[in-house]
Amino acid sequence: MIRTEGLVRQFGDVVALDHTNIEIKKDQVTVILGGSGSGKTTLLRMLSALDAPTHGSVWFGDEDLAQLSSKRLYELRGKMGMVFQYSALLNSLNVYDNVAFPLHEHSDLDESVIQTMVQMKLEQVGMRGFEQLMPSELSGGMAKRVAFARAMIADPDVVFFDEPTSGLDPISAGIVTTLIHDITKKTHMTSVVVTHDVHAALEIADHVILLWQGKVIAEGQADAIAQSEDPRVVQFIQGRPDGPIPFSRSKTPYHEDLLRVRL
Amino acid sequence: MIVNLFGRIGRSTLQMIAKLGDVTLLSSRSLAFAGKSPWQGEHYVRQIYALGVGSFVIIAITGAFTGMVLALQGYYTLAKFGSESLLGSAVALSIIRELGPVLGALMLIGRAGSSITAEIGIMRVTGQLDALEMMAVNPLARIVLPRIMATLIALPLLVTLFDLIGLAAGYVVGVDLLGVNAGAYVGETVAKVLPEDLYAGWVKAIAFGFIVGVICTYMGYRAEPTTEGVAKATTQAVVAGSISVLAVDYILTSFFL
């Protein structure tokens, strides 16, 4: 459904993605795992065309996202939804208007139909009854659920999730994770989840992609990843501080930097 | 040392040119949506209302004190030449041609322009602009354009209000407090203020409204997505907006003389 070819994204001298090739399969939950700074969110922004690659391409079906006109890109975005790390609900609108926003913008549906659709989506994420609350009155978990309802309101083909469980307590994280899994399966939607939450990832993923320093170092089914003997995968999954993935990110040796300090 | 100095000047100049180009591109891309579907009229009205009503009190107070101070200072100066009867026209021309548009614009930047920058900057920080993009809503059309249109339309209205309150306050101080003849005050004002003076004031107000809208939206849109970045952008919007208004005022004044 979506695939990348030789994707490179540089920010100045920093290479966030280094010739990354991945494929997102239809109707599956694909989880992109990786530590902080591994390029997960950058990759998600490329997949959703929120950012353009330095080199390489992202294909949505048979269309190269970087080559699309803005009109065509906006048409394609009608098939996409996104749940941002900090929910990104529109501050000036209440829960109902946030969820209904895509329909108000892009459809001529009668308000009563929109109301029904919003009720259905809010019920799916357990937020029915909170329509009149403003985003500032919601907890992190509630805001994530409302953002999820908003992402699903137009029945997209694919929904992107950026760190859906970060900053949530274990129960809220569990609820959000279960929702992603259940709704994906029930609605035949494709989900792309970026996270560093190994437990949640292995629980819901059909396909796991592990990134390190902008490169794919492992991918496959959740079970295969969990049983991988690749020391980098083992270190990441078991959360060990020592291993091939270094603790320090400095490019120069520590003693050299210390010797350079002028006393 | 000298090479470094020239290097720094060169870099700053290039950065400024690049920024000017970026402002022009962003504002022209936003304005290109003005005639396109979907029509953003509802959002224009909402923004004009927020700007106009929100700035009404500060503009009224500034207009009143400007008129009062002008009458006091004008009377002091004109009395030296025995020309107190000219006070009405002096106050009116100063307010209508110059102080109304300039002070109105500066007040708008402080009251509403800074909040436009902060609002858009916070939308950038919290991902709301990206969220709009993902919902196939162009932030330039939905967020930037209505705010530029609002300042463009609201400032001439606010300046007209400033002028009226300033003239009334000047009359109260000149006639009621300083004892200038009411007939002479009003007669001189009506005789000396010509339609082209009103025209010059409104042209300035429209130009300043456009400048305030473009600069404040640009600074917010391009704000670094951090809390510090938004604070910096807000300060820059006020400084750049104020300087631009004063510089353009000089050019327009020389044109209308």
Side-chain angles (χ1 to χ4, degrees), chain A residues 1-255:
Chain A
M1 182 177 197
I2 308 175
R3 68 179 199 283
T4 68
E5 284 178 4
L7 200 61
V8 176
R9 182 66 172 101
Q10 274 181 273
F11 298 98
D13 294 335
V14 179
V15 181
L17 292 174
D18 190 0
H19 296 90
T20 311
N21 298 306
I22 65 163
E23 186 168 1
I24 309 293
K25 289 182 182 143
K26 204 170 181 298
D27 299 342
Q28 284 197 351
V29 179
T30 301
V31 174
I32 301 169
L33 268 176
S36 303
S38 59
K40 307 185 297 290
T41 300
T42 306
L43 178 55
L44 196 72
R45 290 180 66 82
M46 301 279 141
L47 295 176
S48 55
L50 279 175
D51 197 0
T54 310
H55 300 293
S57 50
V58 179
W59 294 84
F60 191 97
D62 55 0
E63 294 181 276
D64 181 353
L65 290 181
Q67 304 302 323
L68 296 179
S69 66
S70 59
K71 189 179 173 220
R72 178 63 191 142
L73 181 59
Y74 280 158
E75 280 170 12
L76 268 189
R77 284 209 172 119
K79 298 179 183 177
M80 302 177 187
M82 188 154 184
V83 179
F84 289 83
Q85 185 171 2
Y86 300 107
S87 306
L89 296 176
L90 301 173
N91 281 343
S92 55
L93 305 179
N94 63 18
V95 166
Y96 174 83
D97 287 328
N98 259 291
V99 178
F101 188 84
L103 298 178
H104 282 146
E105 288 297 317
H106 302 299
S107 77
D108 298 324
L109 293 173
D110 193 74
E111 191 60 33
S112 60
V113 178
I114 292 178
Q115 270 181 16
T116 310
M117 290 176 73
V118 171
Q119 292 264 332
M120 284 166 63
K121 296 300 176 189
L122 286 176
E123 173 66 18
Q124 274 185 303
V125 299
M127 286 296 291
R128 193 170 50 79
F130 295 92
E131 290 86 348
Q132 297 310 315
L133 291 187
M134 297 302 286
S136 58
E137 297 172 294
L138 302 174
S139 69
M142 291 163 92
K144 284 249 164 80
R145 289 200 253 171
V146 174
F148 193 2
R150 183 178 68 179
M152 293 189 305
I153 192 74
D155 292 325
D157 294 344
V158 56
V159 177
F160 301 101
F161 296 86
D162 189 7
E163 303 281 8
T165 57
S166 75
L168 299 183
D169 64 83
I171 295 173
S172 301
I175 292 169
V176 170
T177 309
T178 310
L179 280 173
I180 294 170
H181 180 264
D182 291 353
I183 292 174
T184 303
K185 296 301 165 192
K186 281 177 192 162
T187 58
H188 298 289
M189 195 173 77
T190 304
S191 292
V192 183
V193 183
V194 151
T195 185
H196 53 244
D197 185 342
V198 176
H199 173 72
L202 297 179
E203 199 175 294
I204 62 170
D206 294 311
H207 189 75
V208 177
I209 295 167
L210 184 57
L211 281 184
W212 180 54
Q213 292 191 339
K215 288 181 179 165
V216 176
I217 57 169
E219 69 173 308
Q221 290 186 337
D223 291 345
I225 293 291
Q227 288 158 18
S228 170
E229 290 178 4
D230 183 325
R232 294 169 302 182
V233 179
V234 173
Q235 185 192 356
F236 187 81
I237 287 177
Q238 295 182 357
R240 289 186 193 156
D242 298 318
I245 300 175
F247 166 69
S248 172
R249 291 168 166 272
S250 307
K251 286 176 183 167
T252 52
Y254 183 40
H255 67 273

Side-chain angles (χ1 to χ4, degrees), chain B residues 76 94 217:
Chain B
Y76 174 78
S94 304
T217 50

Side-chain angles (χ1 to χ4, degrees), chain B residues 36-234:
Chain B
K36 284 186 187 167
S37 169
W39 170 241
Q40 304 287 336
E42 180 199 338
H43 300 283
Y44 296 170
V45 173
R46 207 176 285 169
Q47 289 301 323
I48 291 167
Y49 179 80
L51 274 182
V53 174
S55 309
F56 175 85
V57 174
I58 194 166
I59 289 286
I61 292 171
T62 313
F65 279 106
T66 304
M68 288 156 71
V69 170
L70 266 181
L72 279 176
Q73 285 287 3
Y75 183 82
Y76 174 78
T77 310
L78 291 169
K80 289 187 175 180
F81 305 101
S83 310
E84 297 93 328
S85 60
L86 296 176
L87 185 63
S89 57
V91 169
L93 287 173
S94 304
I95 287 180
I96 291 169
R97 288 185 63 99
E98 194 61 47
L99 294 173
V102 171
L103 290 180
L106 294 179
M107 288 297 128
L108 189 74
I109 292 170
R111 167 65 182 74
S114 54
S115 75
I116 287 174
T117 305
E119 186 187 9
I120 298 177
I122 288 168
M123 290 184 85
R124 170 71 69 206
V125 174
T126 55
Q128 291 177 59
L129 296 179
D130 284 341
L132 286 173
E133 280 279 356
M134 282 308 295
M135 291 186 282
V137 174
N138 193 316
L140 293 180
R142 167 52 61 87
I143 303 296
V144 174
L145 177 65
R147 284 158 179 79
I148 294 177
M149 296 304 277
T151 53
L152 187 67
I153 295 167
L155 189 58
L157 298 175
L158 289 169
V159 166
T160 305
L161 179 80
F162 183 108
D163 291 352
L164 291 173
I165 291 174
L167 293 180
Y171 177 89
V172 170
V173 171
V175 174
D176 296 338
L177 292 183
L178 300 172
V180 176
N181 181 276
Y185 191 99
V186 176
E188 275 296 318
T189 304
V190 173
K192 295 282 167 23
V193 177
L194 304 171
E196 47 263 41
D197 296 318
L198 297 171
Y199 173 72
W202 279 323
V203 168
K204 280 185 178 181
I206 291 168
F208 297 162
F210 180 70
I211 289 168
V212 172
V214 165
I215 289 178
C216 293
T217 50
Y218 173 81
M219 291 295 183
Y221 200 80
R222 289 282 188 252
E224 199 184 311
T226 60
T227 45
E228 197 185 354
V230 175
K232 198 172 151 192
T234 309

